[in-house]
Amino acid sequence: MTDRERIDQLLRQGEGLTVEFKESRTELPKSLFETICAFLNREGGTLLLGVRDDGTVTGVEPAAVARLSKEIVTQANNPDKLTPICRLFPEPIEVDGHTVLCVVVPPGSQVHRTKNTIYDRSADGDFRVTDQEATRLLYDKKAQVSTENRVIPYLDLADLRPDVLSRVRQMATVRQDGQHVWGSLS
């Protein structure tokens, strides 16, 4: 499926749990990182900038595309804006003579916050998580899906395969153009 076909499918599908449209011509919407945070905390999703809530493509001003893309990447890597940080890759796609900025947000392995607030996604909305029980459930859900923050009792170095560790180190280093910290570790 081409990028254009994927965008057309999302426009037909409309907003929902994993799709959000945001009208944007020259500036990032104020609620952009609330949606990114909510997608990270739920199932991930696709954000289309330059599209009205009803699916009408208005486009991002062509002169603003590079700047807005850079702002999204920079802010997603700023712990004052998003914690933990996240790597995002905005992609401009032409739709009927307009440029739509497509941002695919993966599901996060940890609970994310923006402006020190947790957001979650439900239907086609982003909601603040303020209740302690809802917060606990979100952390529990993440802990069951991801092993990043899980303590595994009785695990010993002898349980790990050196050939797999070597391969993972190599893959991580290649993905970051040789700059990954694992490349210098023994």
Side-chain angles (χ1 to χ4, degrees):
M1 178 181 300
T2 67
D3 290 338
R4 174 59 198 268
E5 291 169 337
R6 185 171 47 106
I7 298 301
D8 287 341
Q9 180 182 15
L10 293 171
L11 292 170
R12 283 191 304 276
Q13 176 184 330
E15 290 187 311
L17 189 62
T18 60
V19 178
E20 177 72 17
F21 304 147
K22 296 221 179 261
E23 192 167 8
S24 173
R25 298 283 300 152
T26 60
E27 298 297 325
L28 293 180
K30 292 190 187 313
S31 64
L32 179 71
F33 275 86
E34 293 170 9
T35 299
I36 290 171
C37 182
F39 278 161
L40 286 162
N41 285 334
R42 186 52 53 180
E43 299 174 21
T46 303
L47 222 142
L48 298 180
L49 293 179
V51 179
R52 289 188 186 132
D53 285 344
D54 65 3
T56 303
V57 177
T58 57
V60 172
E61 198 63 46
V65 169
R67 178 178 51 79
L68 294 181
S69 294
K70 185 175 180 179
E71 284 180 26
I72 291 168
V73 170
T74 301
Q75 289 184 32
N77 283 285
N78 179 350
D80 291 333
K81 186 69 172 179
L82 185 66
T83 306
I85 61 171
C86 174
R87 293 186 67 189
L88 298 175
F89 304 91
E91 181 181 358
I93 298 171
E94 292 300 315
V95 178
D96 300 330
H98 298 286
T99 302
V100 171
L101 205 50
C102 177
V103 183
V104 176
V105 181
S109 61
Q110 301 175 54
V111 175
H112 285 75
R113 298 170 184 268
T114 185
K115 296 177 255 168
N116 208 27
T117 302
I118 297 172
Y119 286 86
D120 198 2
R121 186 86 178 164
S122 179
D124 67 348
D126 309 317
F127 300 95
R128 292 174 84 117
V129 178
T130 56
D131 177 71
Q132 285 184 343
E133 180 63 9
T135 302
R136 185 189 66 75
L137 290 171
L138 191 56
Y139 274 95
D140 284 350
K141 181 184 90 151
K142 293 293 182 179
Q144 293 192 15
V145 173
S146 172
T147 59
E148 283 182 22
N149 294 319
R150 188 179 306 161
V151 174
I152 303 173
Y154 313 113
L155 182 68
D156 189 74
L157 283 176
D159 296 318
L160 304 177
R161 290 181 38 202
D163 61 313
V164 173
L165 291 176
S166 176
R167 180 77 177 133
V168 169
R169 180 182 297 114
Q170 180 185 18
M171 289 170 58
T173 303
V174 166
R175 284 191 179 162
Q176 300 229 336
D177 298 325
Q179 301 301 312
H180 197 283
V181 68
W182 288 358
S184 63
L185 298 176
S186 65

